[in-house]
Amino acid sequence: MPSKHVRLLVITGLSGAGKTQALQSLEDQGYFCVDNLPPSLILKFAELCTQSQGKVTRAAIVCDLRGGEFFSSLAEALGDLHAEGFQYEILFLEASDEVLVGRYKESRRRHPLSPGGGILEGIQMERQMLTDLRGVAHKIIDTSNLSSQQLRHQVAEIFGSEQTSGHLAVSVVSFGFKYGIPLDVDLLIDVRFLPNPFYVSELRPLTGEHPQVKDYIFSNPVAQEFVDKYLGLLEFILPYYVKEGKRHLVIGVGCTGGQHRSVAIAERIGVFLQERHYTMSVKHRDAARNRKGDKLK
């Protein structure tokens, strides 16, 4: 019986959310990619990959509503994969109704559930149809505020490297609660209890990456004690995530506007992870948005 050690990624989600860009990113990373594969063929596709004599070790397929009536059998097809011993992951892409409507108007394409028009109705119907599938997804990416290039980079960062058991990639994201909590956060920290540099006039235009802001925050003994205790917690729990086979962990650090406190704490966590040789990245989602007072493009 051929080895079933093939990394299989199923990409699905809302129409217009960026599945094509995600698939292209994976293709650039060496995945064998198939777009719009009917679910009834997924098991056969996986079996063919195992018969490639090691030439195909990573594969990605897109399954979505373009498959029409075939798409309804996706849950059954995934059950068959599991029953046959194949391991797979589901990447679910979504975006807000407003953003999706804008993308459809820009591309002048029709929504697959609204061939006669009514883009918003089609989006809402599709969102409802995909509720159960979203609930079992291993990774959810909201592309509302991502450019195509940013999405491709994020997908490559999460799925691009050969990740095996014993390897964990950690993303640290600072954000402002007034802009909403990132949807894909696994561990959430609220640092709004710390003194806010926003109320210090010379620090207000700066971000938490600036040495003056860092000095202001960490001169507070409460901030230093909190960071020491939280890093101790990470030191304890991260090996257990690795042991359980988790491949990607997202740590969200939030303050009011996402400009000062959350940025400084996220940077400190990033240094900790780097010193321990975790594959890691630190992103500051709202630092520029809060400083400029508008939304990131």
Side-chain angles (χ1 to χ4, degrees), residues 96-130:
S96 68
D97 289 352
E98 179 183 4
V99 168
L100 291 174
V101 169
R103 289 175 182 172
Y104 268 100
K105 287 185 176 179
E106 183 178 349
S107 66
R108 299 183 180 180
R109 297 180 60 194
R110 295 179 177 180
H111 191 278
L113 293 181
S114 299
I119 296 173
L120 181 58
E121 291 79 2
I123 292 171
Q124 293 174 341
M125 187 184 304
E126 182 180 27
R127 195 182 297 278
Q128 181 64 34
M129 292 174 61
L130 296 177

Side-chain angles (χ1 to χ4, degrees), residues 267-282:
E267 287 288 324
R268 181 65 65 88
I269 294 173
V271 171
F272 166 84
L273 294 169
Q274 189 173 44
E275 289 174 348
R276 283 149 184 80
H277 307 293
Y278 285 97
T279 299
M280 51 76 61
S281 66
V282 178

Side-chain angles (χ1 to χ4, degrees), residues 23-86:
L23 194 68
Q24 290 172 348
S25 175
L26 292 167
E27 190 171 25
D28 291 341
Q29 299 299 318
Y31 278 74
F32 183 76
C33 297
V34 177
D35 191 13
N36 196 20
L37 183 71
S40 58
L41 298 179
I42 291 179
L43 179 58
K44 184 62 176 179
F45 172 76
E47 291 172 343
L48 289 174
C49 289
T50 64
Q51 297 169 12
S52 67
Q53 298 180 341
K55 294 179 181 179
V56 178
T57 58
R58 298 184 296 172
I61 57 176
V62 170
C63 291
D64 56 27
L65 289 179
R66 289 174 297 168
E69 61 184 26
F70 294 106
F71 184 71
S72 62
S73 62
L74 179 56
E76 181 181 349
L78 295 177
D80 291 341
L81 272 181
H82 179 75
E84 291 297 323
F86 289 98

Side-chain angles (χ1 to χ4, degrees), residues 154-212:
Q154 187 167 335
V155 170
E157 184 179 78
I158 298 171
F159 298 104
S161 62
E162 285 286 3
Q163 296 177 344
T164 59
S165 58
H167 185 97
L168 177 67
V170 184
S171 297
V172 185
V173 182
S174 71
F175 69 93
F177 277 97
K178 70 179 183 180
Y179 298 116
I181 299 173
L183 294 177
D184 58 349
V185 164
D186 297 300
L187 300 176
L188 178 64
I189 316 170
D190 182 352
V191 298
R192 288 177 291 185
F193 65 90
L194 298 175
N196 193 349
F198 178 83
Y199 297 109
V200 180
S201 58
E202 61 267 28
L203 300 181
R204 183 176 301 174
L206 307 176
T207 74
E209 295 180 272
H210 196 283
Q212 291 182 22

